[in-house]
Amino acid sequence: MLENKIRSEEESERYLAELKIWMAGEEDRPAEEMAAFFAKRLETYEDVHFGNWGELYAHIADFLSEGLRTLLDIGCGTGLELEAVFRRFPEAEVTGIDLSRDMLEKAREKFAGRRFQGIEADYFEYPFPAGHFDAALSFETLHHFPCEKKGAIYEKLFQTLKNGGYYIECDYVACCQEEEDLCRERLRRARAKSALPEDVYLHIDTPLTLEHQTELMERAGFQVKVLYQNCGTVVFRAEKQ
């Protein structure tokens, strides 16, 4: 059973101090393009992610409702979260979308024999069918993108879900407004220094506070609940009534 853990004020202050030190050390490191960042780390990706969120990967399917038939997973990577989904819903039809060809190939190999379709595309741009999916899922992907992109994908997810459908998001949120501002400013500086084209995604974390993340989902039409919180990691359930 997953247990909630909320940071104390002292823990948040210590976390912010450590974050500022880490950011200072990263200041002169060139930002990497998103897909290239993950392709370069393919061999260690699963170990790193299991090390950080292993318990959540094992339990993420517990947050899905009975009777799941169709699921959209945005930023699916190698499908770590889908292992638990297919254990609970072996007949589910799952569409996974990701920028990384290498990661999708690994997911396709892993779920050969399952009803899994991997799409190599930008989920902000890909045309999802309207009213098609019972549920949507994302696991530690949207904190890589700025506020306006998050708002846009929530609107797309709302449209692609059936009436009565829902979206589960497990993601990293900012502990406070100061962290949100620090991360947004770091992205601005990295973009200004980068020689990469403006339309290329940089691998820079830009988490929002829990309140701002919730507001964006509600603005898209969802009714939102927080199901689980462990320091900076939060599981949201956003329902389309």
Side-chain angles (χ1 to χ4, degrees), residues 131-142:
H132 181 77
F133 294 99
D134 296 328
L137 171 66
S138 73
F139 198 113
E140 296 294 339
T141 182
L142 285 178

PDB file of all heavy atoms in Angstrom, residues 131-142:
ATOM      1  N   GLY A 131     -13.115  11.326 -28.560  1.00  0.00           N
ATOM      2  CA  GLY A 131     -14.012  10.429 -27.843  1.00  0.00           C
ATOM      3  C   GLY A 131     -13.657   8.961 -27.977  1.00  0.00           C
ATOM      4  O   GLY A 131     -14.547   8.113 -28.026  1.00  0.00           O
ATOM      5  N   HIS A 132     -12.371   8.628 -28.014  1.00  0.00           N
ATOM      6  CA  HIS A 132     -11.948   7.262 -28.341  1.00  0.00           C
ATOM      7  C   HIS A 132     -11.521   6.418 -27.138  1.00  0.00           C
ATOM      8  O   HIS A 132     -11.832   5.234 -27.066  1.00  0.00           O
ATOM      9  CB  HIS A 132     -10.790   7.326 -29.332  1.00  0.00           C
ATOM     10  CG  HIS A 132     -10.280   5.990 -29.755  1.00  0.00           C
ATOM     11  ND1 HIS A 132     -10.940   5.198 -30.667  1.00  0.00           N
ATOM     12  CD2 HIS A 132      -9.176   5.283 -29.368  1.00  0.00           C
ATOM     13  CE1 HIS A 132     -10.268   4.074 -30.835  1.00  0.00           C
ATOM     14  NE2 HIS A 132      -9.193   4.099 -30.064  1.00  0.00           N
ATOM     15  N   PHE A 133     -10.821   7.004 -26.182  1.00  0.00           N
ATOM     16  CA  PHE A 133     -10.175   6.222 -25.124  1.00  0.00           C
ATOM     17  C   PHE A 133     -10.990   6.218 -23.830  1.00  0.00           C
ATOM     18  O   PHE A 133     -11.591   7.221 -23.449  1.00  0.00           O
ATOM     19  CB  PHE A 133      -8.781   6.780 -24.820  1.00  0.00           C
ATOM     20  CG  PHE A 133      -7.813   6.626 -25.964  1.00  0.00           C
ATOM     21  CD1 PHE A 133      -7.565   7.694 -26.821  1.00  0.00           C
ATOM     22  CD2 PHE A 133      -7.155   5.426 -26.188  1.00  0.00           C
ATOM     23  CE1 PHE A 133      -6.673   7.568 -27.875  1.00  0.00           C
ATOM     24  CE2 PHE A 133      -6.260   5.289 -27.242  1.00  0.00           C
ATOM     25  CZ  PHE A 133      -6.020   6.360 -28.082  1.00  0.00           C
ATOM     26  N   ASP A 134     -10.961   5.072 -23.142  1.00  0.00           N
ATOM     27  CA  ASP A 134     -11.545   4.989 -21.802  1.00  0.00           C
ATOM     28  C   ASP A 134     -10.740   5.821 -20.812  1.00  0.00           C
ATOM     29  O   ASP A 134     -11.295   6.421 -19.886  1.00  0.00           O
ATOM     30  CB  ASP A 134     -11.548   3.537 -21.294  1.00  0.00           C
ATOM     31  CG  ASP A 134     -12.424   2.616 -22.106  1.00  0.00           C
ATOM     32  OD1 ASP A 134     -13.449   3.087 -22.640  1.00  0.00           O
ATOM     33  OD2 ASP A 134     -12.096   1.417 -22.205  1.00  0.00           O
ATOM     34  N   ALA A 135      -9.420   5.792 -20.981  1.00  0.00           N
ATOM     35  CA  ALA A 135      -8.539   6.473 -20.035  1.00  0.00           C
ATOM     36  C   ALA A 135      -7.263   6.896 -20.734  1.00  0.00           C
ATOM     37  O   ALA A 135      -6.896   6.363 -21.784  1.00  0.00           O
ATOM     38  CB  ALA A 135      -8.214   5.557 -18.855  1.00  0.00           C
ATOM     39  N   ALA A 136      -6.575   7.852 -20.130  1.00  0.00           N
ATOM     40  CA  ALA A 136      -5.243   8.277 -20.577  1.00  0.00           C
ATOM     41  C   ALA A 136      -4.324   8.277 -19.365  1.00  0.00           C
ATOM     42  O   ALA A 136      -4.775   8.367 -18.219  1.00  0.00           O
ATOM     43  CB  ALA A 136      -5.302   9.662 -21.217  1.00  0.00           C
ATOM     44  N   LEU A 137      -3.040   8.175 -19.639  1.00  0.00           N
ATOM     45  CA  LEU A 137      -2.048   8.037 -18.579  1.00  0.00           C
ATOM     46  C   LEU A 137      -0.782   8.774 -18.982  1.00  0.00           C
ATOM     47  O   LEU A 137      -0.393   8.767 -20.153  1.00  0.00           O
ATOM     48  CB  LEU A 137      -1.734   6.545 -18.373  1.00  0.00           C
ATOM     49  CG  LEU A 137      -0.571   6.146 -17.465  1.00  0.00           C
ATOM     50  CD1 LEU A 137      -0.863   6.527 -16.010  1.00  0.00           C
ATOM     51  CD2 LEU A 137      -0.313   4.641 -17.573  1.00  0.00           C
ATOM     52  N   SER A 138      -0.129   9.403 -18.024  1.00  0.00           N
ATOM     53  CA  SER A 138       1.240   9.891 -18.234  1.00  0.00           C
ATOM     54  C   SER A 138       2.014   9.654 -16.950  1.00  0.00           C
ATOM     55  O   SER A 138       1.472   9.775 -15.848  1.00  0.00           O
ATOM     56  CB  SER A 138       1.275  11.371 -18.633  1.00  0.00           C
ATOM     57  OG  SER A 138       0.968  12.208 -17.538  1.00  0.00           O
ATOM     58  N   PHE A 139       3.294   9.294 -17.110  1.00  0.00           N
ATOM     59  CA  PHE A 139       4.132   8.986 -15.958  1.00  0.00           C
ATOM     60  C   PHE A 139       5.454   9.741 -16.111  1.00  0.00           C
ATOM     61  O   PHE A 139       6.269   9.404 -16.965  1.00  0.00           O
ATOM     62  CB  PHE A 139       4.389   7.469 -15.880  1.00  0.00           C
ATOM     63  CG  PHE A 139       4.866   6.987 -14.540  1.00  0.00           C
ATOM     64  CD1 PHE A 139       4.074   6.161 -13.759  1.00  0.00           C
ATOM     65  CD2 PHE A 139       6.111   7.353 -14.042  1.00  0.00           C
ATOM     66  CE1 PHE A 139       4.512   5.701 -12.521  1.00  0.00           C
ATOM     67  CE2 PHE A 139       6.558   6.919 -12.809  1.00  0.00           C
ATOM     68  CZ  PHE A 139       5.756   6.086 -12.039  1.00  0.00           C
ATOM     69  N   GLU A 140       5.625  10.781 -15.310  1.00  0.00           N
ATOM     70  CA  GLU A 140       6.867  11.559 -15.266  1.00  0.00           C
ATOM     71  C   GLU A 140       7.308  12.038 -16.658  1.00  0.00           C
ATOM     72  O   GLU A 140       8.434  11.824 -17.082  1.00  0.00           O
ATOM     73  CB  GLU A 140       7.978  10.735 -14.602  1.00  0.00           C
ATOM     74  CG  GLU A 140       7.726  10.395 -13.146  1.00  0.00           C
ATOM     75  CD  GLU A 140       7.727  11.608 -12.223  1.00  0.00           C
ATOM     76  OE1 GLU A 140       8.302  12.650 -12.605  1.00  0.00           O
ATOM     77  OE2 GLU A 140       7.157  11.508 -11.123  1.00  0.00           O
ATOM     78  N   THR A 141       6.406  12.687 -17.357  1.00  0.00           N
ATOM     79  CA  THR A 141       6.755  13.234 -18.672  1.00  0.00           C
ATOM     80  C   THR A 141       6.470  14.727 -18.790  1.00  0.00           C
ATOM     81  O   THR A 141       7.270  15.472 -19.341  1.00  0.00           O
ATOM     82  CB  THR A 141       6.045  12.469 -19.807  1.00  0.00           C
ATOM     83  OG1 THR A 141       6.454  13.010 -21.067  1.00  0.00           O
ATOM     84  CG2 THR A 141       4.536  12.520 -19.717  1.00  0.00           C
ATOM     85  N   LEU A 142       5.355  15.206 -18.253  1.00  0.00           N
ATOM     86  CA  LEU A 142       4.942  16.581 -18.534  1.00  0.00           C
ATOM     87  C   LEU A 142       5.761  17.627 -17.788  1.00  0.00           C
ATOM     88  O   LEU A 142       5.746  18.808 -18.167  1.00  0.00           O
ATOM     89  CB  LEU A 142       3.452  16.761 -18.227  1.00  0.00           C
ATOM     90  CG  LEU A 142       2.519  16.143 -19.274  1.00  0.00           C
ATOM     91  CD1 LEU A 142       1.070  16.316 -18.863  1.00  0.00           C
ATOM     92  CD2 LEU A 142       2.751  16.754 -20.643  1.00  0.00           C
TER      93      LEU A 142
END
